[in-house]
Amino acid sequence: MIPDQLQHQIPALIVLTPLVLGLITALIGRRGLGWWIAMLASLLVFAGSIQLLIDVMHSGTYTVSYLMGNWPVPYGIEYRIDPLNGGVLCTVALISAAVTLFARRSVASEVSRDRLHFFYAVWLFCQTGLLGITITGDAFNLYVLLEISSLATYTLVAMGKGRDRRALTAAINYLVLGTIGASFILLGIGFLYMVTGTLNMMDMAERLDAIYITWGTAEPQYQKTVLTGFAFLFVGVSLKLALFPLHTWLPNAYTYAPAAVSALLAATATKVGAYISIRFIYTIVGTDAAFRGAIPTHVFIMVSAGMAILLGSYLAIKQDNVKKILAYSSIAQIGYIALGFALDNKNGLTAAVIHIFNHALTKGGMFMALGVVAYRLGNTRLQDLRGLGRKLPVSMGAFTAGGLGLIGVPLTAGFVSKWYLVTGAIEAGRYEMAAIVLVGSLLAVVYVWRVVETIYFGKRDEGAPNVQEAPITMLVPMLLLIGASIYFGVDANTTSWIAEAAAETLLGVQP
Amino acid sequence: MLDFLHDHYNYWVTIIIMMIGFYAVVAKSNLVKKAIGLGIFQTGIFLFYISIGKVDGGTAPVKVMGEQTDVVYSNPLPHALILTAIVVSVSTLAVALAIIVNIREKFGSIDEHDLNHLEAEQE
């Protein structure tokens, strides 16, 4: 079907397609063409990443390695795909394709017409960065791609200025904190490079293992350097991931960005941050140094995650803008993911990986439903949503189904993740964390119910403008994601197969 | 103590430059000054990378012609990495300034206190 030659090049093509097509979009400068090119790129990338994940899962060793320019490891840049980043790659590609389809009408109503082709160029650069971070096996390459995606993200958030000028201040706040985070990552990679002399992740991990052997002896080598490097990396990544208490940039950025951008960011950007965290802790530095060394990082993560779950959910209840409710809920959901990888056992890791995917589907779909509201009403204030359930039955139905997923009701994808998470917490003997997960779910009931009640039982104001259901290009991707989140809640075999394989490879269990 | 300071002076320089930049980011309310602070902060990290490429007694990493086989070269890789990082830093500054120009147009101020005030009024 696909020529062999081409199939071997898929890892490179996944990153190059959006990059090159993005440049073309900006250079052609035809306003109408931007979206078509973006859509084409997203679909190609999606097809490629599915093919890649299938290759990985059926490749006995669970890895596919691609050498950029055929330079041997560790001199050249290696693209290395295992079940973890294969899964994250598919998540990013799926969400990007769905949100791009959604973006056409939504963005046209929020971004001025003569900027549209630039918008889609930056949109594609953002995808390039996110896909590149996920696929690369080189630590410095990861930093560069992280900055590509971040710079694109700041620009995309600032594009919301047409609707609300606060998008600009949100963007500059995000830029300042994001740049500090990225600089910390750069510094951390520098420390690790200093002791290992390599940038290839696998090579770095092997050389670090050789260093760790000396740590038990009378003369431990480079102990302080490695731990300092890891500390910088961890804080930097946590800023990108918006892990409590480094989440302050997130609510405003999500709230004032254009609707399609919120959907893309909420579903992919922080998820890729979680991936970087997992990759650095488990593959490169290793849990022996990260968790059981001089600094018990997992305890820090658990405290942060617990605070994120409780405070994020509590603050979500207090908000009056529905987009902000979802933004604070995202902070709580990031807490669940972080808790999953801090537990350091198979079920916890599986929960983190599977929740990256499940939450991306749910949140992406819900932000799209709010995009429909913004498209029809011009804002997303809770009071303006009164009685919208009868006016926008499909979108609001999708929002409600997504809300059930956030709570973690059985038969939704959210339930599967929380099942693994609670099992993992109990296995690790962390009963208090299991309790926090349950309390977080109860708080989610409150903030979801607050919106659902307004939508279905509120009365529309007299003389409120008559609104219609959204155009079909907005409904299809939204229903696709929400439908998928329910499908993977009922039949979780595929997702848990991949997530468990990812957890096993990370923990070094032979499949 | 003096030895400790002297042996690690490249790290001390890095730390001092980074903290000067970080101070500007945290303490200054003018957004352009914050952007400059970010630039200084990143420059500190660049110097750190460049200084770790130095090998004791190493010469410039250009192949020495002739019979000599025991030449020690400094590590050129960090320099190559930092060239990329400098490009990233310049782009970040460009994006920051572009956003600040937009803020000036929409709010009429680039002072953080004024902006917080204006935003609070908009609520």
Side-chain angles (χ1 to χ4, degrees):
Chain A
M1 196 174 68
I2 316 170
D4 254 13
Q5 281 299 323
L6 189 65
Q7 195 172 344
H8 288 307
Q9 307 297 332
I10 286 179
L13 287 174
I14 282 180
V15 181
L16 286 178
T17 310
L19 180 67
V20 173
L21 288 180
L23 279 173
I24 292 176
T25 314
L27 289 176
I28 292 181
R30 286 268 301 279
R31 286 156 207 158
L33 219 54
W35 179 80
W36 290 100
I37 297 179
M39 196 66 234
L40 175 73
S42 315
L43 288 176
L44 286 175
V45 166
F46 181 49
S49 57
I50 292 283
Q51 176 67 43
L52 200 55
L53 182 61
I54 293 172
D55 285 352
V56 169
M57 293 308 288
H58 291 290
S59 73
T61 54
Y62 280 156
T63 39
V64 168
S65 165
Y66 174 86
L67 305 176
M68 265 292 170
N70 225 359
W71 286 89
V73 174
Y75 307 108
I77 290 171
E78 181 194 16
Y79 279 9
R80 191 185 173 89
I81 303 99
D82 62 9
L84 171 66
N85 55 359
V88 177
L89 201 64
C90 280
T91 312
V92 173
L94 168 69
I95 301 288
S96 304
V99 182
T100 309
L101 178 59
F102 174 85
R104 182 161 196 225
R105 300 289 291 265
S106 172
V107 169
S109 72
E110 287 179 279
V111 174
S112 68
R113 262 184 62 80
D114 57 334
R115 290 272 187 279
L116 274 182
H117 54 286
F118 288 128
F119 179 89
Y120 285 111
V122 178
W123 181 264
L124 284 176
F125 293 151
C126 184
Q127 287 182 27
T128 309
L130 295 172
L131 295 162
I133 296 170
T134 315
I135 203 169
T136 189
D138 183 277
F140 192 79
N141 201 225
L142 183 142
Y143 162 75
V144 174
L145 287 156
L146 179 77
E147 282 288 36
I148 292 179
S149 77
S150 303
L151 286 172
T153 315
Y154 310 144
T155 319
L156 289 174
V157 170
M159 292 266 195
K161 65 173 179 165
R163 176 155 282 159
D164 194 321
R165 61 181 182 171
R166 279 172 288 182
L168 291 167
T169 42
I172 196 85
N173 256 332
Y174 185 11
L175 184 142
V176 170
L177 288 173
T179 306
I180 292 176
S183 305
F184 276 6
I185 294 174
L186 179 64
L187 198 55
I189 292 172
F191 275 105
L192 293 186
Y193 173 71
M194 222 160 91
V195 295
T196 59
T198 181
L199 289 166
N200 182 287
M201 292 180 185
M202 294 313 287
D203 196 30
M204 207 181 240
E206 280 168 23
R207 291 181 189 212
L208 281 175
D209 280 341
I211 291 172
Y212 294 156
I213 294 173
T214 65
W215 283 17
T217 63
E219 280 182 33
Q221 279 182 327
Y222 306 124
Q223 190 167 16
K224 281 182 189 158
T225 321
V226 171
L227 289 179
T228 313
F230 175 67
F232 273 117
L233 272 173
F234 177 68
V235 173
V237 177
S238 299
L239 256 167
K240 288 282 169 191
L241 167 69
L243 183 62
F244 186 90
L246 303 171
H247 65 280
T248 46
W249 56 268
L250 187 143
N252 279 349
Y254 281 15
T255 308
Y256 301 119
V261 176
S262 309
L264 183 74
L265 291 190
T268 59
T270 46
K271 306 298 168 295
V272 170
Y275 160 75
I276 306 176
S277 226
I278 296 176
R279 180 60 86 206
F280 273 114
I281 292 176
Y282 282 89
T283 308
I284 302 181
V285 177
T287 44
D288 280 337
F291 289 169
R292 291 181 283 274
I295 317 172
T297 320
H298 62 302
V299 178
F300 285 111
I301 307 179
M302 275 189 219
V303 172
S304 293
M307 297 289 275
I309 294 169
L310 295 177
L311 274 172
S313 306
Y314 170 73
L315 288 169
I317 297 171
K318 309 276 284 180
Q319 302 304 317
D320 287 322
N321 185 330
V322 187
K323 249 180 147 180
K324 235 175 200 163
I325 296 181
L326 289 194
Y328 277 105
S329 139
S330 274
I331 293 169
Q333 303 286 333
I334 289 162
Y336 293 124
I337 297 176
L339 174 61
F341 65 73
L343 287 173
D344 192 22
N345 58 27
K346 190 185 151 198
N347 277 325
L349 258 178
T350 308
V353 178
I354 212 168
H355 201 52
I356 287 177
F357 178 67
N358 290 345
H359 180 246
L361 292 178
T362 314
K363 251 317 156 28
M366 290 180 83
F367 267 110
M368 282 195 223
L370 283 186
V372 170
V373 174
Y375 182 69
R376 288 302 187 200
L377 289 181
N379 72 65
T380 52
R381 280 196 304 260
L382 188 59
Q383 59 201 30
D384 292 334
L385 261 68
R386 276 197 290 246
L388 267 191
R390 276 181 295 277
K391 299 284 182 186
L392 302 172
V394 182
S395 318
M396 292 301 105
F399 185 91
T400 312
L404 294 177
L406 287 186
I407 300 167
V409 175
L411 298 185
T412 63
F415 176 71
V416 181
S417 342
K418 282 188 186 165
W419 179 265
Y420 275 110
L421 193 56
V422 172
T423 318
I426 291 173
E427 236 171 63
R430 300 272 173 185
Y431 298 101
E432 72 282 5
M433 295 321 283
I436 286 178
V437 171
L438 298 177
V439 173
S441 305
L442 289 177
L443 290 171
V445 174
V446 179
Y447 65 73
V448 169
W449 173 251
R450 224 177 129 229
V451 182
V452 169
E453 184 193 25
T454 317
I455 293 171
Y456 289 104
F457 302 106
K459 269 185 86 85
R460 274 188 79 66
D461 294 335
E462 294 290 325
N466 196 22
V467 289
Q468 286 176 334
E469 193 51 86
I472 190 91
T473 54
M474 294 172 90
L475 291 183
V476 168
M478 179 175 74
L479 291 177
L480 186 80
L481 291 194
I482 294 292
S485 84
I486 292 170
Y487 173 80
F488 287 114
V490 178
D491 174 16
N493 285 332
T494 321
T495 44
S496 34
W497 174 48
I498 296 169
E500 282 179 19
E504 278 167 6
T505 35
L506 286 172
L507 292 171
V509 183
Q510 287 309 312
Chain B
M1 181 65 197
L2 213 58
D3 273 356
F4 179 66
L5 286 176
H6 179 260
D7 288 350
H8 298 85
Y9 80 95
N10 58 329
Y11 301 117
W12 290 112
V13 172
T14 302
I15 291 169
I16 291 167
I17 296 179
M18 276 178 71
M19 285 308 115
I20 291 173
F22 198 63
Y23 172 78
V25 175
V26 175
K28 297 290 170 187
S29 66
N30 185 317
L31 291 179
V32 176
K33 287 185 183 169
K34 271 184 193 286
I36 296 171
L38 272 182
I40 299 173
F41 180 69
Q42 289 176 313
T43 309
I45 299 175
F46 301 160
L47 286 176
F48 165 74
Y49 262 82
I50 301 219
S51 69
I52 63 174
K54 175 68 184 162
V55 175
D56 274 343
T59 173
V62 180
K63 189 167 167 37
V64 175
M65 301 303 274
E67 299 296 302
Q68 252 181 309
T69 49
D70 58 342
V71 190
V72 179
Y73 297 108
S74 281
N75 185 357
L77 185 68
H79 297 61
L81 300 179
I82 278 327
L83 273 181
T84 319
I86 288 172
V87 175
V88 169
S89 158
V90 170
S91 327
T92 311
L93 190 62
V95 173
L97 290 176
I99 295 175
I100 293 170
V101 167
N102 272 287
I103 288 179
R104 178 76 172 75
E105 280 169 6
K106 293 267 181 183
F107 287 88
S109 168
I110 54 165
D111 189 275
E112 209 176 32
H113 300 305
D114 293 351
L115 291 174
N116 286 339
H117 205 65
L118 287 166
E119 287 197 345
E121 275 173 16
Q122 202 174 338
E123 279 295 335

